[in-house]
Amino acid sequence: MTKKALIFGITGQDGSYLSRLLLKKNYEVHGVKRRSSSFNTSRIDNIYQDPFVKKKKLILHYGDITDSNSVFSIIKKVNPNEIYNLAAQSHVAVSFEIPEYTTNTDALGTLRILDSILRINKKIKFYQAGSSEMFGKVMEVPQTENTPFYPRSPYGVAKVYSHWITKNYRESYKIFASNGILFNHESPLRGETFVTKKIVQGLCRIKFGKQKKLFLGNLYSKRDWGHAEDYVMAIWKILQQKNADDFVICTGKQFTIKQFLNMTARKLKMSLSWKGKGLNEKAFIKNKPIIEIKKKYFRPSEVDKLVGNYRKAKKRLNWKPKHDLNSLIDDMINYELKLLEK
Ligand code: NAP
Ligand code: GDD
């Protein structure tokens, strides 16, 4: 029997990789997209199917996770086997600017889905896109499923609520509701204001004379970066388990933003020399400043270091990352260079 999946957040980075994976696995894929004044489906355009195609495998519905009515009625209409909640205001820095909206989407949005499942069909399996941001000011290194949370942003706090309400609906109502605790994952389709994409895109453009400078914030925080393609495989596997559970998904390797930047520059054969400290730190190519630090990109409170341990996922999901940071950066650079060639 063909399985049906419903993805909230299908137009995002992970939504596009996950829908491709599920289509390959012969699912009928339903996705929720928001109404917007300009097209917001560029990441899924190459799998889009005309609404008049018979036996369509990808079906989009207008909806919004802040709107209980649309959440409830889409779930009722589709009655899927699996729901993936990837929808979120996912930018940590922006969550300080719009904390109430972030909470409505990233915390209450999850509750709206869970409560609809409870009232419509308790057999629907549910995946919640949790985040390593929940570990925030980390209480142990590396972070595992048992590490206590200490979120450092409205985004992180909202995700902690979602984590616990997912667990609560699992324990209270026996719903198959699982949390992924995913560390940073990137790809050519990463949003342009996240630091990896900003660096890769910025350096490629500078190399080809399309941009003069790149402005960044804190270069010394450390992240555990994986590839979105690997991580959506883990997400799918989490819902194929016999029992619902929570899983850390990461690479176990940690790098600073500056290391990421220097690796990208080396691959592009751009020879950077660094001078100065703090807000005066700059990177030069032949005496020309190309990277500068701006206060605007620092956050009111920072997550200084993240690194996870994926032992449980390896054992129980038989999952491990295929990409490392090198192949991730190569993939991102190749995509950017192809765009520039066009
Ligand atoms: P993303 O590219 O920002 O995508 C977010 C998706 O959510 C987009 O489809 C967006 O729609 C949708 N969305 C936002 N607000 C919505 C609302 N009110 N109603 C309905 N849909 C809404 O994020 P991502 O990187 O794919 O991440 C997917 C999920 O994993 C997010 O929940 C994120 O917080 C979480 N996560 C991500 C990472 C990571 O490193 N990427 C790590 C841990 C957890 P539009 O396209 O219309 O904006
Ligand atoms: N975005 C951004 N822009 N970040 C910068 C910049 C800049 O110009 N300069 C330095 N940074 C630093 C940030 O201060 C942060 O320490 C680090 O780069 C990573 O920032 P992001 O790429 O914005 O990612 P994030 O770690 O805050 O959040 C991402 O990962 C989370 C998982 O840990 C997002 O994808 C979240 O949705 C996700 O949950």
Side-chain angles (χ1 to χ4, degrees):
M1 198 193 69
T2 308
K3 275 196 196 171
K4 261 196 254 178
L6 173 60
I7 304 175
F8 286 89
I10 194 167
T11 55
Q13 170 188 259
D14 292 5
S16 66
Y17 279 99
L18 180 65
S19 41
R20 262 177 206 87
L21 176 71
L22 296 179
L23 287 171
K24 260 197 223 143
K25 294 193 176 292
N26 213 23
Y27 275 68
E28 181 178 303
V29 177
H30 293 253
V32 178
K33 68 165 179 173
R34 297 192 284 176
R35 144 76 192 153
S36 92
S37 65
S38 48
F39 287 117
N40 60 357
T41 52
S42 63
R43 290 190 181 99
I44 51 168
D45 277 350
N46 53 359
I47 50 169
Y48 177 76
Q49 291 171 326
D50 199 285
F52 306 109
V53 166
K54 274 193 192 142
K55 294 206 176 151
K56 271 205 314 170
K57 298 292 264 179
L58 177 72
I59 298 127
L60 297 180
H61 308 261
Y62 278 110
D64 195 300
I65 202 161
T66 60
D67 171 21
S68 309
N69 287 332
S70 71
V71 170
F72 183 87
S73 50
I74 293 168
I75 296 177
K76 192 159 170 44
K77 186 169 155 197
V78 176
N79 195 18
N81 305 88
E82 298 167 5
I83 293 180
Y84 297 87
N85 179 25
L86 312 179
Q89 190 300 92
S90 70
H91 204 284
V92 173
V94 173
S95 78
F96 289 97
E97 309 286 326
I98 47 170
E100 183 183 333
Y101 174 73
T102 302
T103 306
N104 195 0
T105 308
D106 300 10
L108 292 180
T110 310
L111 175 66
R112 291 183 184 103
I113 299 177
L114 282 166
D115 214 55
S116 301
I117 292 175
L118 180 62
R119 283 181 287 139
I120 294 167
N121 175 5
K122 278 174 61 182
K123 289 213 169 87
I124 298 172
K125 290 179 164 183
F126 175 72
Y127 171 82
Q128 166 54 20
S131 164
S132 50
E133 248 323 279
M134 299 187 296
F135 296 123
K137 191 171 177 179
V138 297
M139 307 298 279
E140 64 177 343
V141 180
Q143 294 87 57
T144 72
E145 293 78 6
N146 299 320
T147 304
F149 297 137
Y150 192 144
R152 296 269 284 169
S153 61
Y155 169 84
V157 174
K159 287 285 183 182
V160 170
Y161 172 85
S162 281
H163 179 91
W164 284 107
I165 200 68
T166 300
K167 228 175 147 123
N168 181 257
Y169 270 56
R170 171 163 91 217
E171 290 172 1
S172 309
Y173 306 115
K174 314 286 172 260
I175 289 174
F176 191 113
S178 293
N179 287 297
I181 307 175
L182 272 56
F183 283 63
N184 298 49
H185 47 281
E186 321 292 313
S187 74
L189 302 183
R190 185 59 144 150
E192 296 182 357
T193 59
F194 294 94
V195 79
T196 55
K197 179 75 170 182
K198 202 172 153 184
I199 290 171
V200 173
Q201 192 176 62
L203 289 184
C204 288
R205 282 187 181 161
I206 290 170
K207 185 172 169 83
F208 288 94
K210 303 271 177 213
Q211 185 176 324
K212 287 212 165 85
K213 280 186 189 172
L214 177 60
F215 299 102
L216 294 168
N218 179 10
L219 298 182
Y220 296 96
S221 56
K222 294 178 183 167
R223 290 291 181 274
D224 175 339
W225 282 295
H227 196 303
E229 199 173 19
D230 287 340
Y231 286 35
V232 298
M233 179 58 88
I235 290 176
W236 175 73
K237 284 183 170 215
I238 288 173
L239 283 202
Q240 311 316 309
Q241 295 306 292
K242 205 159 170 247
N243 299 308
D245 206 342
D246 307 325
F247 292 93
V248 160
I249 303 297
C250 60
T251 71
K253 306 250 161 59
Q254 193 184 49
F255 298 88
T256 63
I257 313 300
K258 194 168 176 180
Q259 282 173 316
F260 183 98
L261 208 163
N262 284 331
M263 277 173 79
T264 308
R266 269 198 302 278
K267 284 175 184 289
L268 287 167
K269 302 200 170 25
M270 296 166 87
S271 170
L272 299 184
S273 59
W274 289 93
K275 286 180 195 147
K277 278 200 170 149
L279 291 176
N280 294 319
E281 190 166 10
K282 287 188 174 77
F284 295 80
I285 295 181
K286 291 184 186 153
N287 293 330
K288 245 199 194 158
I290 64 144
I291 294 164
E292 292 186 13
I293 305 304
K294 292 285 172 204
K295 205 161 178 245
K296 169 180 161 57
Y297 294 117
F298 284 74
R299 294 156 188 199
S301 53
E302 176 65 283
V303 170
D304 294 320
K305 49 183 184 182
L306 289 173
V307 63
N309 177 336
Y310 64 88
R311 221 172 85 182
K312 181 174 171 186
K314 191 173 174 197
K315 194 167 164 214
R316 299 263 304 281
L317 307 176
N318 192 21
W319 178 90
K320 61 177 186 192
K322 289 189 179 141
H323 283 273
D324 61 11
L325 193 62
N326 260 306
S327 64
L328 168 67
I329 297 177
D330 287 342
D331 199 15
M332 294 179 78
I333 287 181
N334 288 338
Y335 178 86
E336 230 48 64
L337 294 183
K338 272 192 200 133
L339 276 187
L340 281 166
E341 268 170 28
K342 272 189 199 162

